[in-house]
Structure formats: structure tokens, C-alpha cells
Amino acid sequence: MDVGFLGLGRMGRPMALNLVKAGHRVRVWNRSPAAAEALRAHGAEPVATPADAFRGDAAVTMLADAAALRAVIVEGGLLDQAEKPGLHVGTSTISVALAEELAAVHGRAGVPYVSAPVFGRPDVAEMGKLNILAAGPDDAISRAQPLLDAMGARTWRFGEEPARANAVKLAGNMMIVAAVEAMGEAAALGEAHGVPAADLLDLLTSTIFAAPVYKNYGASIAAARYEPPGFGLALGAKDVRLALAAAEAARVPMPLASVLRDSLLDALAHGDGEKDLAALAIVSARRAGR
């Protein structure tokens, strides 16, 4: 397929490279041109403007946040240009409200829109093993499937309304933060009674909580290894805020998410926003006087 890829950050770069490896023609654009130019040696075609990337059989976006996505796609007028892509696959983690807005503006422009946020950190993206949550017109998802297959291990479909995929993504990220908060509190309790965090978390993540999220973040907490970030704490805070906004709009109480927001704000207030999400455990330790 002839694909445009916009956004070459820590997640976008390996995703774009996997499309190239799968044999697709990939035009790449990034706000920092050097990031796009660096992929030329790997077979991608750097382009100078978003408009040059937003055309062809499909365009894929993995832009940094909602503001960047709106600025480039909507305010940048890409949906008004004469040459538009056959479909747009949006993989950024954004609010449910923005996903609904994007679906509407794409509908008016005649460009099928598929929300396809992903679960997985940069190392998982490099392996092409992301779990991709897809929602949008069924035929558009089917047309995008070769691209999704190149970037992920499995595509999970959630119906024809794009915002559904974003609701699932925010719910999942809230649960990830909850897991980290729980391990941080458990580690603080163990340490207060003379049990090293590494011993407690090794037991828990090898038995009753033997899942990737617990194992990966538990290992980081046990080793107090918070840099470089795999998933930044500030991003976790942003996603919990988005989950709470979606919950308020639908009148869904989420008391646990409110607790998580306050713990994340504590971490941000103490300058830990650029650390890995596992650094949320520092808040529990600080509260316990450790």
C-alpha cells in the first residue's frame, strides 16, 4: 500500500519502520525533519509537509497528543485539500470527545476514519507485537488490516463508532496506573515491616499477579529504576484525566481514578513527571516516610 505516516516519536518511529519492512511504500513526516530524514536509510521516503504524507491509500498518525493531532489534521486543513488519503488510521491516545469530533469532520470530508490506539511500549512496537484497538467503518478497518498486521500482533475490533476504541484505551490505561499504584502501596507496606520490595514484588508478580503489566512495572519498582521512561508518568496523568473526563460526560463514577489522579499530581508536583510511570511508587514511599 501507499502509506503516509505522521509522527515519528518513540512509538511512531518503530511503527513506521515495521510498515516499511512489510513492503509498503511509506512517506514519513515529523515536526522535526531530522527524525524523518533518519528513516531514509531504512527505505522510507521523508516528505516536507503534512500534506505530502496525508494522501495515498492510507495515512497513519501517531502524533504526540490531542493538540498536535488537531493542529496538524484539522486546523492544518488536511481534510480540505484536493488529494486526500483513502482512509485515516489514528493511533494516538486521545480523548473520547476528540475522537467523536474527528469522526464527524472526516465524515464531512469523505475520508473514512479508524481509531486505532495501541497497547504496548516502544520495545513492543519495535517487535511489531502491539495490541491494536480498532473502531470505525468495518470496510475501512478491513482495508487497513494489512497495515495493522504489520504493526501489531492482534487487532481487537470494537464496532463502527471510532470513539469506542479510545474509550477502551483510556479504560486500559487507567487500569495500568491502578496496578502501579497498588504495587507501590504494597511495597511501602512490606518495607515498613522489614520486607524488601524486591522480595515482595517477586513473589506477587510470579504468582497471583503474573501478568506483563505487573511483571514489568514491578521489576522497575523493585529496582527503583525509573529512567529512561518506557511510558512517562506525565502521560499516565494525562490519560487518567482523559478517562475521568469521558466518565463525567457519560455520568460514570470512577472513584479509583480520582485517587490515581491525586497520586499522579503528587508525583508531578515533586518533579517526577519525566520519569517512568513506575515512579508513582515514590509517592507511596514518601507518604510512608520511607
Side-chain angles (χ1 to χ4, degrees):
M1 295 175 70
D2 179 11
V3 186
F5 200 105
L6 298 85
L8 301 171
R10 297 180 70 241
M11 290 293 292
R13 183 180 190 278
M15 292 167 67
L17 284 175
N18 282 328
L19 293 177
V20 174
K21 292 174 185 175
H24 301 288
R25 178 196 176 194
V26 184
R27 285 164 286 100
V28 292
W29 174 84
N30 194 68
R31 287 191 176 190
S32 301
E37 188 60 37
L39 297 193
R40 185 186 297 276
H42 298 276
E45 178 187 338
V47 294
T49 70
D52 293 329
F54 200 74
R55 57 183 178 80
D57 296 320
V60 181
T61 52
M62 179 48 104
L63 295 164
D65 52 32
L69 185 61
R70 180 181 280 110
V72 171
I73 303 300
V74 181
E75 296 168 6
L78 296 191
L79 291 168
D80 298 323
Q81 63 186 19
E83 189 175 2
K84 295 186 278 283
L87 60 95
H88 174 200
V89 179
T91 64
S92 305
T93 299
I94 59 173
S95 69
V96 169
L98 179 55
E100 292 171 342
E101 177 188 342
L102 289 172
V105 297
H106 280 74
R108 291 194 292 271
V111 177
Y113 177 66
V114 175
S115 270
V118 304
F119 281 128
R121 303 205 293 187
D123 58 332
V124 178
E126 288 178 8
M127 296 183 289
K129 298 297 184 182
L130 296 168
N131 277 286
I132 301 177
L133 323 173
D138 191 63
D139 63 331
I141 298 176
S142 295
R143 282 190 283 137
Q145 197 63 58
L147 308 178
L148 303 180
D149 289 343
M151 297 184 290
R154 178 171 175 179
T155 300
W156 304 76
R157 295 196 183 197
F158 289 95
E160 297 248 339
E161 298 177 20
R164 290 183 180 179
N166 301 95
V168 173
K169 169 64 173 176
L170 294 176
N173 277 13
M174 188 277 292
M175 292 181 68
I176 291 171
V177 178
V180 176
E181 171 77 12
M183 286 189 288
E185 293 185 17
L189 175 61
E191 292 274 7
H193 289 277
V195 180
D199 293 347
L200 182 145
L201 292 171
D202 182 39
L203 162 69
L204 295 177
T205 62
S206 298
T207 55
I208 56 177
F209 293 102
V213 165
Y214 286 95
K215 283 183 169 293
N216 294 335
Y217 285 107
S220 295
I221 293 170
R225 184 177 63 248
Y226 306 130
E227 296 177 286
F231 177 62
L233 190 147
L235 291 176
K238 179 262 294 182
D239 291 348
V240 168
R241 288 196 300 271
L242 294 180
L244 283 166
E248 182 176 352
R251 298 185 179 179
V252 176
M254 294 184 74
L256 177 56
S258 297
V259 171
L260 298 175
R261 175 197 57 202
D262 290 345
S263 291
L264 290 160
L265 283 174
D266 190 321
L268 293 173
H270 284 84
D272 292 330
E274 297 306 312
K275 295 178 180 176
D276 189 80
L277 179 61
L280 187 59
I282 297 173
V283 176
S284 296
R286 185 167 50 241
R287 289 170 176 166
R290 311 299 300 174

